Amino acid sequence: MTAEPGAQRRTSRPATVSAVVSSDPAAPVVDVRWLDEQQQWAWRRYIEGTSRFLEALGDAHDEALPVTLGEYHLLVQLSEAPEHTMRMSALADFLALSRSRLTHTVNRMEARGLVARRPAPGDRRGVNCVMTDVGHATLVASAPGHVNAVRRLLVDVLTDEELATLGRAMSKVSDVARASVEASRG
């Protein structure tokens, strides 16, 4: 296990440094607040931990469950929605997927009878995604394996305090990232 830098002391924030962030000679010079040693350590642990967690959880789904991790997540969202139905655009936003990626996933799931697309009432252009009875049964059958993997890879590895801190931190990250994406898309 890599020791956390600055575990005994918090290093000071690095100075802001001007840098060119483009190969275009006409590009403006911008100020960059570089990560200090502790921030760099935490950032890299986050990236590696998230990547490895999602890889292992995806493998658990691929090896033992009838749905992929992405399909499971989609079914969970539908199971919690009124009438097990969500508008495709809202589902794409909630799952942080492009609409084309969601369409591809729903096509696959629809072919297996897990979901169905239906016109949105009162909106000729809108399309709803509806979880079928087969989809619900598949979700119920998959839940124990999914939860066991989440426990083994995350919940049982952390203390209750660490898990609560992780949840609060990721909620903040999610809020800021969502707002950033929405602002960049106009």
Side-chain angles (χ1 to χ4, degrees):
M1 180 174 193
T2 307
E4 179 181 349
Q8 299 301 320
R9 61 174 174 69
R10 175 78 178 149
T11 57
S12 62
R13 298 256 180 201
T16 301
V17 177
S18 295
V20 177
V21 293
S22 171
S23 60
D24 180 356
V29 174
V30 297
D31 290 332
V32 177
R33 286 182 46 223
W34 298 105
L35 302 180
D36 66 27
E37 183 181 347
Q38 186 172 355
Q39 292 165 339
Q40 186 70 246
W41 179 87
W43 164 243
R44 290 183 180 185
R45 297 301 74 77
Y46 165 78
I47 289 293
E48 181 181 10
T50 301
S51 298
R52 292 191 185 280
F53 170 76
L54 291 173
E55 177 184 34
L57 187 56
D59 286 351
H61 273 260
D62 294 346
E63 293 167 4
L65 301 176
V67 289
T68 67
L69 178 57
E71 292 168 345
Y72 183 86
H73 192 192
L74 189 150
L75 289 174
V76 167
Q77 301 318 308
L78 291 175
S79 76
E80 295 172 349
E83 300 179 30
H84 295 175
T85 301
M86 286 183 77
R87 194 172 179 114
M88 289 282 287
S89 57
L91 190 55
D93 179 59
F94 196 84
L95 297 173
L97 295 174
S98 68
R99 291 184 186 186
S100 63
R101 176 76 173 184
L102 177 64
T103 298
H104 178 71
T105 301
V106 168
N107 285 343
R108 242 185 10 251
M109 295 175 74
E110 195 169 32
R112 292 172 24 227
L114 303 173
V115 298
R117 277 181 274 216
R118 302 281 184 259
D123 183 353
R124 290 183 293 182
R125 291 179 31 182
V127 177
N128 287 336
C129 185
V130 181
M131 182 167 53
T132 64
D133 290 342
V134 171
H136 187 264
T138 300
L139 176 62
V140 169
S142 300
H146 173 82
V147 170
N148 284 337
V150 169
R151 283 197 160 282
R152 178 175 52 84
L153 297 166
L154 178 70
V155 174
D156 294 343
V157 174
L158 303 175
T159 66
D160 290 345
E161 183 181 330
E162 289 170 329
L163 189 61
T165 298
L166 177 65
R168 286 190 302 273
M170 294 314 299
S171 180
K172 287 180 179 181
V173 170
S174 176
D175 291 347
V176 169
R178 178 185 300 262
S180 177
V181 168
E182 288 172 357
S184 71
R185 293 183 182 165

